[in-house]
Amino acid sequence: MMKFRFRRQGTDPQREKIKQELFAFNKTVEHGFPHQPSALAFDPKLELMAIGTKSGAIKVYGSPGVEFTGLHRDTTAVTQIHFLPGQGRLLSLLDDNTIHLWELVAGPPREVGGVKREGVVYLEEVDSYSLPGRPGIESCSATRVTVLLLLRSSDLLCIGTEGGGVYFLELPRLSLKDNQTLLQDQVMQSLPDDYRCGKSLGPVESLQEHPQQSGKLLIGYSRGLVVLWDLTTRRAEQLFLGKQQLESLVWERSGNLFVSSHNDGGYSVWAVSKSNTYNHQPVSSSIPYGPFPCKAINKVLWRTTQTGSPVLLYSGGMPRASYGDRHCLTIQQDKDHVTLDFTSRVIDFFTVHSVEQEKEFDEPSAVVVLLEEELVVIDLQTPGWPSLPTPYLAPLHSSAITCSFHVSSVPPKLWERLVNAGKAQRGRQHAHGSWPICGGKNIAPPPKHQELLLTGHEDGTVRFWDASGVALTPLYKLGTANVFHTDCDPSDDPQDSSDDPDMQQEEEWPPFRKVGCFDPYSDDPRLGIQKISLCKYSNKLVVSGTAGQVIVLGLSDERSDHVVDVSVVDLLQDREGFTWKGHDRLEPRLKPASFPPGFQPLVLVQCMPPASVTAVALHAEWNLISFGTSHGFGLFDYHRRNAVLARCTLHPNDSLAMEGPLSRVKSLKKSLRQSFRRIRKSRVSGKKRPITTPTSKVQEANAALAEQEDVAPIQRRIEPRSADDSLSGVVRCLCFADTFLRDGTHHGPTLWAGTNSGSVYAYALEVPGVGSGRVCERGGAGESSVCVEAVLGKEIQLMHRAPVVSISVLDGRGKPLPDPYEASQDLASAPDVTNAHSVLIASEEQLKVFSLPKVSAKTKFKLTAHEGCRVRKVALVMFGSAAQEDYCEHTLVCLTNLGDMHLFNIPALRPQVRYDCVRKEDISGIASCVFTKNGQGFYLISPSEYERFSLSAKILTEPLCSVQLDRPLEHTPASDGATAPPQANGTHKNPMGQAEGQTEESPSSLSSPILDTPLDSPLSCADITLDSTGEITVEDVRDFLTTVDEAENNLKNIKEEEGRSTGILIN
């Protein structure tokens, strides 16, 4: 056997320049809702909102597309944020008791899409401060910051502490004004003896500046005391002697009243008058949800209106026994009273209202509520106070995300129909007011094409998102639960609560109203969506789920009431000895169901046993779908409603495949036994034993050649996987292709399937009216022309039995085949059928290209042997050059289990560049990654956030924003190139504590990361040939469509090569 190796001749400067124009790695923007939010702020002048998180991130939002991200040096929780109104500055308080000052600063001019963009702004940390401890006190808890207040003049920051002291910082220099410090002892001297009683006043709970008289502060202490303090005279003007533990304070706009909220679930209104120094009793006091013990009212707001009745808003206050576990915000105005009931904890809230001094009333227009899992905006100007739809910050994880699918260049007609379907849905639920957080200006060029991101969820829904720009906007939601009878079917409820007067009376108080869309609880886990496929030209959608359900849907603009056709496909094919121990199938509805405008189900294909669907493929031009589970795969003609093929892939030892993901009957002993067997096998296979099989002789020859050659590339030894491994029959990928499978002259429809055990099945399909050669020859023969037929053409067994991750067919020019309808409707160039096609099979261990129809190996790259990693995700991407408009290359993008991206050209599989993308510990992030066709991608960095990245030097979707500030924007000098983009979830830690509103190209992205192990230039004449050092790579290929001549040739080959198996051997 011959041994080949790489010939390394150094790098080609011309090729390196082309790679720099094609490839550049950038993490561009984070879509979705920030994970674990902990603080909220609003700038009423700039109309910007800031959210802080427990991981130390600060995210500033304005109008859709306006986003800035900052990351503190330490991953410490942000507890408070405060804007300096109009200045583009904000202060953050961290859990480690440090205060940080951030500024929006102007970056250097940038060229985007051929246009020079100036005024691009990003967020930068400029200073920080830590409050020193009090002398003589060892514990630092006395100076632990509890509350911050920024005065209207924005030149002084008031700091309340746990020890009861109030400190003052000069802004923006963050310097302490010692002469202004107010300690608790000074306040105690002004108290009457009967109130003092030797007790401490407790921490400072609230600081509020007088709305009309600058320099006067309300200081609220935990014990209940509220002091009106004059900063100029440094004395207490009035004392309000509250007796309940204080939670928060708020001024009424005129300054004649203020409201305090308490831990007993009540609030009090106090009058401010110069006549009384001591106020023992409030004007009024109320426990709105009493008289039984209630939880604390954490925050209260009082907003005046022109109608005369103020709007009162407060969080908490629920009766402990009955509704202590509810997360609520109450809105009251005159007789209107509503208790907003959320599904996650209230972090903070603010109102959007008039802040001009000359205005007499607040006139609140909206209340923005930050919850632990979502953001809710309530329109206060519309009767009934409906919620507003969010153009961004939508909770992606309203139900847990189970899969995703990206569609690029969406046709305008499909886009319009989806938008209209979404509007019809939202019209019943939301108000149509304007979005109140509308600051800044998005100066990014409008997208050339519309992009869709589809997410499948645990509750059986599929959500459609506008992924064309920075703001990930919800478009439309598709539900599949109404196709089935579920455990929580509303029609199955035995009793309707609306008919019960006792229930009605009970529900009237408190007046709860469910708000928000975060609902982590699934009615039935079997509804979970596992795989999605959408044809953007025919408007056909395939959705498959956890219980073996595969639903084909079509787009309709009208409501429809119909029965969904059901077809059952038995993948076991009556194989004996297997008993399904998992969950039951979902029961389909037998009566007509109502389906709103949008995607409506046409046919339901039920796989039996009802195992989770692991792969799905759609070819709308042929009206075919293919689906796979852990038991096998099937082919279904949804136009004629008949099953074409069912193939079982189970191994006799595949016992775990019969238990399912939701089964509780898995034996711990069995798992341990299998683990020990695998360890024993690997140990035994590592020992040197004299074996006289032909395969071992070849391996010994390879080993001898490797010892003689000094410069042979170092490779890891790859152990073949046992055929007895559990779940070896799982179908990992499916692929339709119009290619050569029977012979080299007739091409036609084919179906390819790859399994977990390294098996690849290729079927020749006979689709009426499609294909050439034999398909058309049989077209006139009776019934065969009506039904689709599938004939097994090739069966390939990869040597090491590594799971097959992806199968793609390449045309005669080595380019991927176009999508269905693209070639027939002249939407893409027709594939080359004059030259031989090839198939690219990516397993977890290596990438390999075979010629068709002979299935002989052309080239390969052994990723596991060379890099020590395994393939997790594969995509064929077209990269355009940033320098040459008409130059592009088709590239294979590979994501490994170590989180790095490897890029290869096709069909030669020459390595181009490698990038570190995802942390190797982030298993869910790697598993959730999805690529676009133009070189971008998404992966989950938390349950509620997608990280968007770009591998293309030409295509970038990034925030490019400008903001008009009251102060001049300072330009920061461009250092060495640019700054690294921060990652708020900690995947990329920024040592400078700096963040950008735009992500610029990092210097590392301009050089090829594979320069440390340079390969020969793809432009040179030295091609990379098959490298089989230290390994015999033999695939067993069974050809079921051989002609008489081919059979004779194969017989000659078998006679010449004694001792080999009867298949074609590929080395």
Side-chain angles (χ1 to χ4, degrees), residues 105-112 115-122 441-445 960-964 969 971 998:
V105 296
R110 298 199 50 197
E111 189 170 324
V112 181
V115 181
K116 194 173 184 180
R117 304 276 174 177
E118 294 188 357
V120 177
V121 175
Y122 66 93
K441 183 181 179 183
N442 181 15
I443 59 176
L960 293 170
C961 331
S962 65
V963 181
Q964 295 294 325
L969 273 172
H971 288 266
Q998 83 285 352

Side-chain angles (χ1 to χ4, degrees), residues 799-815:
M799 182 204 172
H800 286 144
R801 299 184 176 273
V804 180
V805 178
S806 169
I807 302 174
S808 304
V809 176
L810 309 177
D811 69 3
R813 294 186 296 265
K815 295 181 178 180

Side-chain angles (χ1 to χ4, degrees), residues 168-332:
F168 298 89
L169 276 185
E170 196 175 345
L171 295 177
R173 294 186 299 149
L174 294 183
S175 59
L176 185 64
K177 300 185 73 171
D178 290 324
N179 58 340
Q180 289 276 8
T181 300
L182 170 63
L183 299 179
Q184 196 174 104
D185 300 339
Q186 297 172 252
V187 178
M188 292 284 282
Q189 294 171 6
S190 307
L191 295 177
D193 293 337
D194 59 337
Y195 190 86
R196 199 180 309 173
C197 298
K199 295 180 181 177
S200 168
L201 298 178
V204 177
E205 289 292 340
S206 183
L207 292 171
Q208 297 291 331
E209 184 181 14
H210 197 291
Q212 303 298 330
Q213 302 174 32
S214 58
K216 291 187 178 181
L217 299 181
L218 267 186
I219 306 172
Y221 295 93
S222 176
R223 183 179 156 191
L225 174 69
V226 180
V227 178
L228 181 59
W229 184 263
D230 193 329
L231 290 175
T232 54
T233 61
R234 290 190 49 76
R235 68 179 186 86
E237 280 200 358
Q238 289 189 61
L239 298 169
F240 303 89
L241 308 177
K243 294 182 174 59
Q244 277 295 337
Q245 184 176 325
L246 184 71
E247 294 291 331
S248 71
L249 297 171
V250 65
W251 279 103
E252 188 261 348
R253 190 180 182 94
S254 66
N256 297 323
L257 299 172
F258 72 86
V259 182
S260 62
S261 68
H262 304 276
N263 78 329
D264 64 345
Y267 65 88
S268 302
V269 181
W270 302 80
V272 179
S273 61
K274 295 184 179 179
S275 57
N276 295 330
T277 305
Y278 299 108
N279 290 271
H280 293 272
Q281 294 295 331
V283 175
S284 64
S285 188
S286 171
I287 301 179
Y289 298 112
F292 299 108
C294 296
K295 299 192 75 174
I297 292 180
N298 306 109
K299 182 177 179 178
V300 63
L301 293 180
W302 179 288
R303 300 292 182 238
T304 57
T305 62
Q306 204 165 354
T307 58
S309 299
V311 178
L312 182 68
L313 308 98
Y314 53 89
S315 60
M318 289 293 105
R320 285 185 180 275
S322 307
Y323 306 108
D325 57 342
R326 298 285 186 101
H327 311 289
C328 297
L329 176 80
T330 301
I331 308 176
Q332 292 178 227

Side-chain angles (χ1 to χ4, degrees), residues 571-695:
L571 295 179
L572 288 182
Q573 293 294 289
D574 300 324
R575 184 175 290 200
E576 296 180 358
F578 290 97
T579 305
W580 173 249
K581 302 173 185 176
H583 50 262
D584 295 330
R585 58 179 282 189
L586 286 161
E587 287 300 322
R589 288 185 186 274
L590 301 178
K591 296 180 180 178
S594 179
F595 300 102
F599 278 100
Q600 298 172 352
L602 304 175
V603 60
L604 165 65
V605 181
Q606 179 63 56
C607 302
M608 294 302 289
S612 179
V613 177
T614 56
V616 74
L618 164 68
H619 200 296
E621 200 167 4
W622 301 340
N623 298 316
L624 294 176
I625 58 167
S626 182
F627 43 87
T629 70
S630 55
H631 305 122
F633 58 92
L635 180 65
F636 188 83
D637 183 345
Y638 60 83
H639 178 66
R640 298 173 180 84
R641 304 290 201 270
N642 73 299
V644 178
L645 167 70
R647 171 69 186 252
C648 182
T649 56
L650 277 179
H651 188 273
N653 293 341
D654 261 351
S655 56
L656 284 182
M658 304 310 296
E659 295 182 356
L662 303 180
S663 173
R664 297 183 181 178
V665 299
K666 293 183 180 179
S667 167
L668 178 61
K669 289 182 180 180
K670 182 185 291 185
S671 300
L672 289 172
R673 193 183 305 123
Q674 289 171 344
S675 299
F676 281 119
R677 280 177 182 170
R678 277 194 292 267
I679 293 170
R680 197 180 304 120
K681 284 178 182 178
S682 64
R683 286 174 179 169
V684 171
S685 62
K687 296 177 182 178
K688 295 182 178 179
R689 294 174 296 171
I691 303 174
T692 57
T693 61
T695 304

Side-chain angles (χ1 to χ4, degrees), residues 48 60-68 392 439-442 470 959 961-963:
L48 296 175
V60 180
Y61 301 92
S63 59
V66 176
E67 291 186 19
F68 308 97
Y392 50 82
K441 183 181 179 183
N442 181 15
V470 171
C961 331
S962 65
V963 181

